[in-house]
Amino acid sequence: MADDKSTSSIVFDGSVTGGGGSTGGCRWNPTKEQISLLENLYSQGIRTPSAEQIQEITTELKVYGHIEGKNVFYWFQNHKARQRQRQKQEQNHSNNIFYYNQFLLHHKSLPPPPLFAPAPRNNNG
Amino acid sequence: MADDKSTSSIVFDGSVTGGGGSTGGCRWNPTKEQISLLENLYSQGIRTPSAEQIQEITTELKVYGHIEGKNVFYWFQNHKARQRQRQKQEQNHSNNIFYYNQFLLHHKSLPPPPLFAPAPRNNNG
DNA sequence: GCAAATTAATGATTTATTCAAG
DNA sequence: CTTGAATAAATCATTAATTTGC
């Protein structure tokens, strides 16, 4: 499905180096161990590791194969986003009770709302 | 398209105001359309709509279901607050992930990340 | 069994929001 | 109001699975 994109030529030359050779792919190809470890960390609650964390994780994962900090960073980004996406698809549940305090609503009849009245100043419209 | 969950339609038909019987369950339950529209307005820059704006928005949103001015007002209040909270948490949690996202990635292989490392010492070996 | 073609998964880039600071 | 910072969302591009035909 690579229609006429032509916009991006990609400067990626695959000089990822470091790899033990293998297929010398252009993009990082995580090993089972690496994925397992990453998923474990994610499961532990790590969603957006700090730079330091990324460094540590990268170092750890290097034992199982070539990897860089950016790979770790991207992995968490993508994983979180895709997990979210999948969850969203499951949004079949009925009500979407949102964030609203019933506190005010209990007032029911709602008297004249002066709250937002004294603000005739600039409007963002 | 036509992703209507059709969950709406009832919910708040009439007896919202002037009740007095049930203590709870009478709070505004925004529909997808309403939320979408509100978020759109928020995205357009509206943070604290004036009374007139609230009125207009309310009128517009009434097409999709019962809603009152206070709901609109509170929605913006809560939405803004929530966004701020989230942003703050993020800021406090992560430091310079940005480092990976903008600069390094464009430079391919991750060089030594001293940017966010005030570490004046350099131990190696 | 294997290879080409197609589809699905996912790594890597780019873009758009959002709040804080000046 | 403009700029800076930092994601998250959307998108592109490549790899792995899977399918299909021989």
Side-chain angles (χ1 to χ4, degrees):
Chain A
M1 317 335 190
D3 296 306
D4 59 300
K5 262 52 210 298
S6 68
T7 359
S8 55
S9 305
I10 300 296
V11 202
F12 225 114
D13 195 86
S15 56
V16 184
T17 73
S22 298
T23 49
C26 292
R27 77 179 194 183
W28 172 57
N29 190 17
T31 66
K32 299 260 181 186
E33 292 91 353
Q34 287 175 335
I35 292 173
S36 181
L37 197 25
L38 286 168
E39 284 180 346
N40 190 14
L41 291 171
Y42 187 87
S43 180
Q44 283 180 24
I46 297 178
R47 303 196 315 187
T48 51
S50 64
E52 291 183 7
Q53 285 283 36
I54 288 174
Q55 291 238 346
E56 294 181 36
I57 295 166
T58 303
T59 302
E60 292 293 318
L61 289 169
K62 271 183 181 169
V63 177
Y64 304 106
H66 176 255
I67 188 172
E68 295 179 55
K70 66 176 185 176
N71 301 129
V72 174
F73 175 73
Y74 289 146
W75 189 91
F76 276 96
Q77 287 272 49
N78 284 317
H79 196 68
K80 181 166 59 176
R82 303 228 150 102
Q83 290 287 78
R84 230 170 166 178
Q85 246 182 29
R86 296 209 134 101
Q87 282 265 330
K88 212 137 201 179
Q89 195 103 37
E90 284 283 328
Q91 209 178 31
N92 240 9
H93 291 288
S94 48
N95 313 8
N96 277 346
I97 310 293
F98 269 62
Y99 29 78
Y100 297 108
N101 275 334
Q102 34 183 290
F103 168 65
L104 301 150
L105 304 196
H106 280 181
H107 289 168
K108 264 99 173 222
S109 344
L110 174 56
L115 292 170
F116 44 82
R121 293 187 65 177
N122 73 339
N123 52 351
N124 306 301
Chain B
M1 47 182 88
D3 59 344
D4 289 325
K5 304 308 293 302
S6 70
T7 42
S8 52
S9 56
I10 12 180
V11 189
F12 320 95
D13 199 352
S15 58
V16 176
T17 55
S22 52
T23 48
C26 283
R27 76 180 194 179
W28 173 55
N29 188 18
T31 67
K32 299 231 179 191
E33 293 89 354
Q34 288 175 334
I35 291 173
S36 181
L37 197 24
L38 287 167
E39 285 181 345
N40 190 14
L41 292 170
Y42 188 87
S43 180
Q44 284 180 24
I46 297 178
R47 303 192 317 186
T48 52
S50 63
E52 291 183 7
Q53 286 283 36
I54 288 175
Q55 290 273 333
E56 294 182 35
I57 295 166
T58 303
T59 301
E60 292 293 320
L61 289 170
K62 271 183 182 170
V63 177
Y64 305 105
H66 177 254
I67 188 171
E68 297 179 54
K70 65 175 182 176
N71 301 129
V72 174
F73 174 74
Y74 293 146
W75 188 92
F76 277 97
Q77 286 271 49
N78 286 319
H79 196 68
K80 182 166 60 175
R82 276 227 150 169
Q83 295 286 66
R84 282 181 76 181
Q85 265 182 15
R86 288 181 67 180
Q87 189 79 9
K88 211 133 203 178
Q89 277 252 328
E90 287 164 2
Q91 271 188 7
N92 196 2
H93 191 71
S94 63
N95 292 335
N96 306 286
I97 302 298
F98 166 74
Y99 171 73
Y100 286 92
N101 193 7
Q102 294 271 38
F103 271 26
L104 292 217
L105 303 200
H106 290 178
H107 289 83
K108 276 107 168 222
S109 43
L110 175 56
L115 293 170
F116 46 86
R121 67 182 188 182
N122 183 5
N123 57 350
N124 186 359

